[in-house]
Structures are given as structure tokens and as C-alpha cells.
Amino acid sequence: MNTADMTAKIADGQGFIAALDQSGGSTPKALKGYGVADDAWGSDEEMFGLIHDMRARIILSPAFTGYKVIGAILFERTMDGKAGGKPVPQALADKGVVPFLKIDKGLEDEANGVQLMKPMPGLNDLLARAAKLGIFGTKERSVINLANREGIAAVVQQQFEVAQQVIAAGLMPIIEPEVNIKSAERAEADQILLDESLKALDAMTDDDRVMLKLSLPAKPGLFQPLVDHPRVLRVVALSGGFSRTEACAELAKNPSIIASFSRALLSDLRQQMTDAEFDATLAQAIDEIHCASTQKALLAA
């Protein structure tokens, strides 16, 4: 797939984006969920090797194809690794899956009810390397815990500044200002995020576009103005702590938004499974998330 093919697939593809981008801090929890005990590794390198094996197994599964999974977000080490003897971005592209890269370096401490992204030294070099490896776009995450307009405005400003750097490198940015679904101020935070995001989108120039990865809103359909905005290529949703059943039910209430799930996709997979068991379990999860992304009326009924 060339860039035009990837753009068309992400804009119009009838599927969802898999999030395979657990970073250093979340890797032990992801491995534990996969059935790997904490004492199974003795160093970070061994830990990352185990999580890479899990991701490669997913990517190489016959259930994981571009028919239902239109994109996948990778951790940097995964991008640099191989699956089935091929560089991971190439292995994905060969299956019709558009590769993205997580670029943020984690979160700052909370201030004004939000957590901004930490500095990203060497980002331009990383973006150039990603482009050479066939990466189509990036993803960068902030967190919103409270309905604090000053804090949320700062999140949006930082996200769009990074997005412009990504665009300048020839890649497609996924902006992810995650609203904490457990927040008592979730609905108010959703509305402020909508307002600030529309301002930022309206201020964009030239023909630049971005993608948005958002928590499923407390009020179904709230983010439709973002879906419809000419500066937005696609809006995708994170599961945010919902179970797969819950996340799919919430997703089905939001027209034109597709999934970009991580935990809700991987939660039933175990290292100890036979390949047949693993593939069948992954296929079931993919089918459920694909249905919630593309057949909303059927699921809602």
C-alpha cells in the first residue's frame, strides 16, 4: 500500500484500528493479562521480548487481516522488530493493515485536572525513521481527569502543536486527549474537549488533516461535529477501561466512530493457548469489535 491507499483505507475502511502499543509502564500488566507471570523475565529486554512475541503472534494470526482490522498502532520497539521474518510495518502492510506508531513518552503529573505529555526529545529523528519503515501515522496520548477548561485547553494546544510536527514529517497524527471515564465530571469534560477541539480544527491551515482518538462520550453522539469536520480524517474510540462488551455497546451508540481498542481486544488471549485456540479467540474479539464499528444499528437492536 502506498500513502494514498493507506489514506483511503483509514478514511473509508469498514473496520477498526487495533492498539498494540503498550509501553514500558503498562507492559507488565499486559503480560499478566496474557498469562505471563511477573517472574518470567529478569530484565527489561526479556520483558519486551515477551510482549513482542505476543504482538507478533497477533499480527501473524490468520484472524488478523485488513478486512476487519484496517490499522494497528505500534510501540517503538515493535516497529523496530520483526514478525514472520519481516519488519513489522511491512508485515502489517502485506496483510492490508495500515501501521501507526505511538510517539509520546508518557504523562506529566496532573495539573489543572489534566496530564500533559512529557517532552519528546528526538521526535523529528523518530518521525523520519518511522516514515522510512513505512509507518503511515502516529498517536500521542494525554489524559483529562476534570472539567477544567484551562487544563483541557492546554491539552488540546499541546496535542495540535505535536500534530503539526507530525504533519511536517509527512505522517498522519492521531490526537488522543483521553477523558477518564471514571471522572465525576466526565460529561462536562467531554463538552469542553469538543469546544476546544473545534476551535483548534477551525484554526488549521492549508489542507492539513488529523485523526482523533477519544474516550466514548457520556452523551452518545456528542462528538459528531468532530466526525463531520473537514479537517478530520477519522474519529476512533478507545475502550478506556470498559470491558469489550461494554465498550462495543457504547461504541454502537456513536455513528461513524470506529474502535481503536487495546485491552478490550486482547483481554481473552493467553500465552498458553494452542494456535487454534488463540486464533479462534482473537477472531471472536475482532468480530465483536468490527460489528460495533460497522454495524451499529444491528448491535443496538
Side-chain angles (χ1 to χ4, degrees), residues 3 11 21 28 64 82 85 96 108 124 146 171 197-198 213 216 218 234 258 268 289 292 295:
T3 300
D21 60 337
F64 195 88
K82 292 187 176 182
E108 300 278 17
N124 284 335
L146 299 173
L171 301 174
S197 297
L198 288 172
K213 180 169 178 173
L216 290 157
R234 200 85 189 249
I258 64 172
D268 294 336
I289 298 168
Q295 302 177 50

Side-chain angles (χ1 to χ4, degrees), residues 54 64 70 82 92 98-99 104 131 157-158 161 178 184 187 191 195 202 231 245 278 280 292 294:
M54 180 191 80
F64 195 88
I70 62 172
K82 292 187 176 182
L92 287 169
V98 177
D104 68 82
Q157 179 181 352
Q158 184 190 43
E161 286 174 353
E178 176 183 348
Q191 184 63 56
D195 296 342
D202 289 342
R231 297 293 187 179
T245 299
F278 184 93
T294 65

Side-chain angles (χ1 to χ4, degrees), residues 202-271:
D202 289 342
M204 292 179 67
T205 58
D206 301 322
D207 295 324
D208 294 341
R209 288 191 291 176
V210 299
M211 295 174 63
L212 298 170
K213 180 169 178 173
L214 306 173
S215 302
L216 290 157
K219 179 183 177 182
L222 178 72
F223 293 140
Q224 192 63 35
L226 299 175
V227 173
D228 296 334
H229 199 285
R231 297 293 187 179
V232 177
L233 182 67
R234 200 85 189 249
V235 178
V236 304
L238 57 109
S239 52
F242 285 125
S243 69
R244 182 164 66 246
T245 299
E246 293 169 332
C248 287
E250 291 299 311
L251 179 63
K253 300 174 186 177
N254 290 272
S256 304
I257 296 179
I258 64 172
S260 179
F261 294 169
S262 175
R263 226 175 330 173
L265 171 64
L266 310 178
S267 59
D268 294 336
L269 300 177
R270 299 293 182 270
Q271 184 189 46

Side-chain angles (χ1 to χ4, degrees), residues 17 43 62 94 107 128-129 154 158 195 201 205 224 247 249 262 265 293:
I17 296 175
S43 67
D94 287 351
L107 302 170
R129 184 159 59 84
Q158 184 190 43
D195 296 342
L201 289 166
T205 58
Q224 192 63 35
S262 175
L265 171 64
S293 296

